[in-house]
Amino acid sequence: MRDVVVVAYGRTACCKSRKGSFAGVHPLEYSAQALKGTLAKIPQLKAEMIDDVVMGCAMPVNQMSMNFARLCVNRAGLPDCVPAQTINRFCSGGLQAIATGANAIWAGQMDVVVAGGCEDMTDCFSPYPQEYMDKWIMENYEGGYMTMGETAERVADKWNISREEMDKMALESHTRAAQARLHGKLAPSIIPYTKEDGTVVDYDDVILAEMDGTLKTSMEKMAGLKTCFVAAEDGGKVTAATSSQTTDAAAYVMIMDSDYAAEHGIKPIAKMIAFQVAGCDATRMGMGPVYAIPKALKQAGFSSVKDMDVIELNEAFASQAMACIKNVVKNPMLDGFQEMWDAKKVNPYGGAMALGHPMGATGAFLTCKALDYLRDPETAGKYGMVTMCIGGGMGAAGIYEML
């Protein structure tokens, strides 16, 4: 089988929805700039050589409607011969886009694919209208239209995760992200975007910290927040602090056949060696990763999650991220993959509670983070995993091997 290698990657800064640097900017503007910046990293590659551009988007409405990927290709000034498709597997869209491209390369259908995603949560993220809901699903499948926050509450209740534990995890996420930004660990993959007023957007503005690393939050501040999805008097524990931040961002990963890369003098960074998805109970959708990860590990020939040097786990909510790390699910289908993860290897640069979750872009964004970590001389490693839960009751996991 052909080897699928990563040859370049890049992303925009992650910006807080409605209040951040991309609020009021059309998503085509910053996503096209990030696409051009990623392509510029491989100057010997002509745009005509790209077989497809695949982009994830969880909310393909309003500014993100039509075939957003194709419009992004147009806005980036690429020739008409470059095709594009927009896909949707909710929170895993960016990773699914990479896997979709990889599958085409593995099959011999394509040689070069640019994959990633974009999400404009400022303009396109809102509750699903009840008038669009199917009566049968509403009456027979409880998790079909359940809000993600309620699923997070159910995970916390099922596995007795306290609010204090969740607050501590959120604070640790911001602490790690603040230190990573301060020491330049988040910068390598960011492609700056210049706004019409000349402002340059080149850092993640979602982190609750000053640029010198001083945190703007604390356990005391978090303890004072109201719960978001279930009232505290009714047992609710999940707050805005222990939920992923809504975010505007775009990210891309360029992949190609390894022989094609060699023929054109392009040095590979890593290769994708596994990708798997799995379904689970939609009312506890946050546990999706623990079902997908064993399948990906087996595909890549590993026997333990501890074989990974870094794990980028999307922190949709503190409750589900903590439950995944503790690997609390007891199910025969997991076939021995029950050990607790090494928390130090998980999100060393902070997670989505600090850096945000730009849904359709998240998988590509986390791939950027994982590869940056593995390429850093201070933390160099061989294997990285990207994984996330998915609305509707699923999980996804991809594994990369550094070259």
Side-chain angles (χ1 to χ4, degrees):
M1 187 171 69
R2 306 168 101 198
D3 282 338
V4 175
V5 295
V6 176
V7 297
Y9 57 91
R11 68 177 181 92
T12 68
C14 287
C15 298
K16 192 173 185 65
S17 69
R18 299 180 179 88
K19 299 178 181 179
S21 298
F22 288 149
V25 178
H26 197 290
L28 278 173
E29 298 301 314
Y30 53 81
S31 59
Q33 184 61 45
L35 175 58
K36 290 193 291 185
T38 302
L39 295 178
K41 295 183 179 184
I42 309 295
Q44 62 267 54
L45 183 81
K46 297 180 180 179
E48 291 82 0
M49 297 160 69
I50 300 170
D51 292 308
D52 207 1
V53 174
V54 188
M55 293 182 66
C57 173
M59 294 290 170
V61 298
N62 303 340
Q63 286 88 334
M64 296 289 299
S65 62
M66 306 293 284
N67 181 356
F68 186 84
R70 175 62 177 176
L71 294 173
C72 189
V73 165
N74 301 149
R75 181 63 186 88
L78 303 186
D80 286 342
C81 64
V82 180
Q85 58 175 308
T86 307
I87 66 170
N88 186 359
R89 200 195 286 267
F90 280 168
C91 308
S92 71
L95 184 60
Q96 181 64 62
I98 298 168
T100 296
N103 287 338
I105 295 171
W106 280 322
Q109 183 183 10
M110 298 180 182
D111 294 315
V112 181
V113 177
V114 181
C118 177
E119 208 72 47
D120 173 12
M121 297 187 77
T122 291
D123 301 299
C124 306
F125 182 65
S126 59
Y128 192 64
Q130 187 165 350
E131 59 265 32
Y132 296 161
M133 296 182 183
D134 178 77
K135 182 179 178 182
W136 189 95
I137 292 290
M138 292 176 68
E139 294 177 352
N140 296 278
Y141 193 71
E142 185 181 14
Y145 296 121
M146 184 176 288
T147 67
M148 299 301 96
E150 187 174 346
T151 70
E153 289 283 10
R154 293 198 177 200
V155 168
D157 290 342
K158 171 71 174 178
W159 287 288
N160 299 313
I161 298 172
S162 70
R163 175 164 173 174
E164 183 178 6
E165 287 179 290
M166 291 189 282
D167 286 348
K168 285 182 179 178
M169 186 177 200
L171 188 63
E172 177 66 16
S173 186
H174 281 284
T175 300
R176 290 185 180 190
Q179 290 302 306
R181 186 175 66 183
L182 175 63
H183 295 290
K185 304 299 184 181
L186 295 170
S189 57
I190 294 178
I191 296 168
Y193 172 75
T194 303
K195 299 171 70 172
E196 289 185 353
D197 64 2
T199 302
V200 177
V201 183
D202 59 359
Y203 69 91
D204 302 305
D205 68 18
V206 285
I207 306 168
L208 293 179
E210 303 291 352
M211 295 302 290
D212 66 0
T214 304
L215 292 180
K216 296 179 182 178
T217 188
S218 65
M219 287 294 290
E220 292 73 24
K221 289 181 179 179
M222 290 182 180
L225 296 176
K226 292 183 179 180
T227 57
C228 296
F229 309 104
V230 177
E233 53 267 31
D234 296 325
K237 305 173 188 176
V238 180
T239 68
T242 54
S243 306
S244 55
Q245 296 198 53
T246 55
T247 313
D248 302 329
Y252 299 93
V253 178
M254 188 190 301
I255 55 177
M256 62 179 61
D257 168 56
S258 60
D259 290 338
Y260 189 91
E263 290 169 6
H264 291 83
I266 299 171
K267 185 178 180 180
I269 297 167
K271 66 178 179 178
M272 191 175 204
I273 58 175
F275 172 78
Q276 292 288 332
V277 291
C280 66
D281 176 2
T283 67
R284 300 188 186 98
M285 67 89 206
M287 302 314 298
V290 304
Y291 294 95
I293 288 171
K295 295 172 69 176
L297 290 171
K298 290 177 184 178
Q299 180 185 353
F302 294 108
S303 60
S304 170
V305 72
K306 293 181 179 178
D307 292 324
M308 299 296 103
D309 294 300
V310 66
I311 301 170
E312 284 294 332
L313 166 68
N314 187 46
E315 293 171 346
F317 298 93
S319 63
Q320 61 82 212
M322 188 172 296
C324 286
I325 293 170
K326 291 182 177 181
N327 219 341
V328 294
V329 174
K330 304 300 179 186
N331 189 306
M333 73 173 290
L334 300 183
D335 192 24
F337 291 91
Q338 293 291 163
E339 72 272 21
M340 184 173 174
W341 306 358
D342 182 351
K344 292 181 180 179
K345 293 182 178 181
V346 182
N347 301 339
Y349 294 162
M353 288 183 285
L355 288 163
H357 173 26
M359 299 183 290
T362 291
F365 166 49
L366 297 185
T367 295
C368 293
K369 282 177 67 190
L371 296 179
D372 279 347
Y373 181 85
L374 293 170
R375 296 177 80 185
D376 189 320
E378 296 180 3
T379 53
K382 185 74 171 176
Y383 298 106
M385 176 183 286
V386 172
T387 185
M388 67 282 292
C389 58
I390 306 167
M394 292 180 283
I399 300 176
Y400 299 94
E401 177 184 351
M402 301 302 289
L403 297 175

